[in-house]
């Protein structure tokens, strides 16, 4: 126990920088008024694409330094993957997958892909948010299964993966001190594996997720240029920084000489196509007036205003419900060249019809079970994972 506490302390000090704890910006760090004021004042600090790129560089370096990303191996090779239990559904296939992010740590998830595909497929990463009620957890939730199945039916290979400590990711707790960096690194390693396959078109790669999955979407897009299209959902906020250690547990928004927020971090996607989805019932309720005008200024500076899209649902709440999924389907259809003829439309409403999707029970989606256990070399517990993760660093 004493060794565990010592390792946690060392890791926390290592990542946050000694004496940097006051640099954390967590949860509702600002009021709505303070967030709006920051956007207005910061918009006046740069005037064109060159001065924005200069600022974008400072923001990106802030994330890299604050998270310890620069100490991780940048080209660690192609990770080993287990792909099993292929299930043929109505027009798509579901497989249970584990990717070995680093020796002894497994990123568990599901691949959804078209039942028939002769062409190279676009890729969509689907991280999930902090939904963790029994029977309604992470990648097993119905909204996750539906959007993954729909995109697969439209021709994409989709990877839905567990955030650390969720569902099958029981090697660690979610509130492990290194959650921010570990989770993003797992996303990078998933890309390393998926883009090594010869059936993926590396020019058509997207990411989408809601809430904490929205944070994963804009953070990984900011750090990894291999992502070409981004759809962060119900998360981009001027005043709210994410309430979990995996979103704001490291000093990535603030350093001695700069302050930023999640709007500017989402803006690092530019000039890549981005769709921001917001609603009236959470910290994205001001998007039309506060956050989107700032992002629009960035895309205008690139003279590519049409590559930023926004969908606001003032009567809706914090979720990735059908109406939000529908605008995402349209956006990804356009930017990933997906095939809408392969999906069903309701003749009366003209809307996407997800009724062909059959939800699978948790047990059918698990990679590991009693008959096929996790490999014997698997790390166990926060202490072992922290020690192995710190060994990766140069
Ligand atoms: Zn979290």
């Amino acid at each position: 126990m004493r060794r565990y506490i010592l390792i946690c302390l060392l890791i926390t000090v290592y990542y946050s920088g000694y004496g940097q704890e006051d640099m954390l910006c967590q949860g509702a760090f600002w009021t709505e008024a303070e967030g709006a004021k920051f956007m207005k004042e910061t918009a006046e600090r740069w005037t064109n694409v060159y001065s924005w790129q200069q600022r974008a560089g400072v923001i990106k370096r802030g994330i890299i330094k604050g998270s310890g990303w620069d100490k991780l191996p940048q080209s660690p090779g192609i990770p080993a993957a287990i792909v099993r239990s292929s299930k043929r559904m109505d027009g798509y296939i579901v497989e249970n997958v584990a990717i070995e992010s680093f020796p002894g740590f497994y990123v568990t998830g599901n691949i959804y892909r078209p039942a028939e595909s002769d062409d190279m497929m676009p890729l969509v990463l689907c991280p999930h948010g902090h939904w963790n009620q029994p029977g309604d957890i992470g990648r097993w939730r119905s909204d996750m299964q539906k959007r993954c199945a729909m995109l697969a039916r439209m021709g994409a290979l989709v990877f839905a993966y567990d955030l650390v400590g969720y569902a099958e990711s029981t090697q660690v707790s979610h509130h492990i001190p290194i959650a921010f960096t570990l989770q993003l690194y797992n996303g990078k390693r998933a890309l390393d594996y998926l883009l090594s396959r010869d059936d993926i078109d590396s020019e058509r790669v997207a990411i989408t997720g809601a809430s904490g999955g929205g944070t994963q979407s804009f953070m990984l897009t900011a750090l990894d240029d291999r992502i070409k299209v981004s759809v962060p959902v119900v998360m981009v906020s001027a005043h709210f920084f994410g309430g979990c250690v995996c979103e704001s547990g490291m000093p990535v928004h603030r350093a001695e000489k700069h302050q930023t927020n999640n709007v500017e971090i989402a803006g690092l996607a530019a000039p890549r196509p981005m769709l921001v989805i917001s609603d009236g019932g959470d910290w994205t309720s001001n998007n039309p007036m506060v956050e989107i005008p700032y992002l629009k200024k960035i895309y205008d500076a690139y003279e590519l205003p049409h590559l930023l899209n926004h969908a606001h649902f003032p009567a809706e709440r914090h979720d990735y419900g059908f109406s939000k999924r529908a605008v995402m389907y349209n956006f990804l259809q356009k930017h990933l060249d997906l095939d809408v003829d392969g999906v069903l439309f309701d003749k009366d409403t003209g809307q996407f019809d997800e009724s062909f999707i059959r939800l699978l029970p948790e047990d059918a989606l698990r990679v590991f079970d009693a008959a096929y256990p996790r490999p014997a070399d698997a790390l166990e517990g926060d202490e072992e994972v922290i020690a192995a993760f710190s060994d990766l660093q140069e």
Side-chain angles (χ1 to χ4, degrees):
M1 186 64 181
R2 191 177 296 165
R3 184 169 167 244
Y4 171 67
I5 292 169
L6 182 64
I7 288 175
C8 286
L9 189 65
L10 284 172
I11 290 288
T12 305
V13 168
Y14 176 77
Y15 277 104
S16 57
Y18 189 66
Q20 300 285 301
E21 294 83 355
D22 60 344
M23 294 296 174
L24 293 178
C25 306
Q26 296 178 297
F29 181 68
W30 286 332
T31 64
E32 291 183 21
E34 286 170 335
K37 183 166 177 278
F38 175 79
M39 296 280 61
K40 188 169 181 300
E41 290 176 355
T42 309
E44 290 166 4
R45 292 179 56 188
W46 56 273
T47 53
N48 56 40
V49 72
Y50 304 107
S51 47
W52 162 252
Q53 284 174 337
Q54 204 167 27
R55 179 161 179 80
V58 171
I59 295 164
K60 185 172 178 178
R61 284 193 294 279
I63 303 170
I64 289 170
K65 191 163 186 304
S67 66
W69 192 256
D70 51 342
K71 297 185 175 69
L72 290 161
Q74 299 305 305
S75 303
I78 299 165
I82 298 164
V83 180
R84 61 184 296 266
S85 187
S86 186
K87 292 164 281 293
R88 183 167 281 267
M89 312 296 284
D90 183 357
Y92 63 101
I93 286 167
V94 183
E95 293 164 324
N96 306 348
V97 178
I99 297 167
E100 192 173 19
S101 182
F102 52 95
F105 191 85
Y106 295 89
V107 182
T108 39
N110 299 103
I111 280 178
Y112 296 70
R113 60 182 174 84
E116 311 292 341
S117 182
D118 297 329
D119 300 326
M120 301 276 274
M121 293 175 283
L123 170 65
V124 183
L125 284 187
C126 278
H128 63 76
H130 295 93
W131 284 280
N132 61 354
Q133 296 303 306
D136 193 31
I137 295 174
R139 82 175 203 265
W140 293 330
R141 301 186 83 222
S142 64
D143 71 329
M144 278 288 285
Q145 291 196 42
K146 285 178 181 174
R147 72 175 191 260
C148 294
M150 193 71 163
L151 290 167
R153 183 75 182 260
M154 293 166 74
L157 185 145
V158 184
F159 184 53
Y161 57 107
D162 290 332
L163 300 190
V164 297
Y166 272 68
E168 276 189 270
S169 179
T170 54
Q171 292 180 263
V172 283
S173 69
H174 185 64
H175 291 95
I176 186 172
I178 59 170
F180 181 93
T181 313
L182 175 61
Q183 209 150 270
L184 282 173
Y185 189 71
N186 288 342
K188 168 191 157 49
R189 295 298 280 149
L191 278 177
D192 288 345
Y193 161 68
L194 293 160
L195 291 175
S196 76
R197 293 170 57 124
D198 58 12
D199 55 358
I200 298 293
D201 179 356
S202 62
E203 291 304 310
R204 294 184 291 161
V205 178
I207 186 167
T208 184
S211 194
T215 303
Q216 289 304 303
S217 299
F218 57 68
M219 286 291 180
L220 197 58
T221 301
L223 291 176
D224 201 318
D225 292 338
R226 293 175 296 179
I227 295 176
K228 309 297 186 193
V229 184
S230 175
V231 186
V233 179
V234 297
M235 198 59 216
V236 177
S237 171
H239 66 281
F240 187 77
F241 288 70
C244 183
V245 65
C246 76
E247 302 177 282
S248 54
M250 288 188 180
V252 295
H253 297 98
R254 187 181 182 191
E256 210 168 297
K257 291 186 179 167
H258 91 281
Q259 168 78 62
T260 188
N261 65 3
N262 285 341
V263 181
E264 291 200 283
I265 291 173
L268 298 183
R272 293 167 284 176
M274 176 165 66
L275 165 64
V276 177
I277 300 177
S278 56
D279 66 272
D282 60 25
W283 46 81
T284 63
S285 62
N286 299 330
N287 266 199
M289 293 82 71
V290 177
E291 287 85 356
I292 298 304
Y294 191 89
L295 292 171
K296 186 173 180 319
K297 183 180 178 190
I298 297 171
Y299 280 80
D300 284 349
Y302 281 102
E303 298 183 355
L304 294 166
H306 60 291
L307 296 183
L308 173 68
N309 272 230
H310 176 223
H312 187 65
F313 298 90
E316 293 197 11
R317 293 294 178 264
H318 191 67
D319 61 24
Y320 207 156
F322 174 73
S323 49
K324 298 184 181 86
R325 295 197 295 274
V327 292
M328 177 270 286
Y329 297 148
N330 270 319
F331 187 76
L332 291 189
Q333 184 269 322
K334 179 176 178 182
H335 291 286
L336 298 183
D337 193 21
L338 297 175
D339 177 14
V340 289
D341 292 336
V343 298
L344 306 173
F345 283 90
D346 183 303
K347 290 191 193 73
D348 296 327
T349 65
Q351 279 283 14
F352 288 100
D353 182 351
E354 297 174 326
S355 61
F356 70 92
I357 297 165
R358 183 163 64 84
L359 298 179
L360 291 168
E362 292 178 12
D363 284 349
L365 295 169
R366 286 181 183 276
V367 190
F368 302 122
D369 53 29
Y372 193 94
R374 197 182 277 145
D377 71 343
L379 303 163
E380 272 189 52
D382 290 4
E383 181 183 346
E384 284 190 13
V385 171
I386 287 171
F389 197 63
S390 63
D391 282 348
L392 291 179
Q393 283 136 24
E394 295 154 1

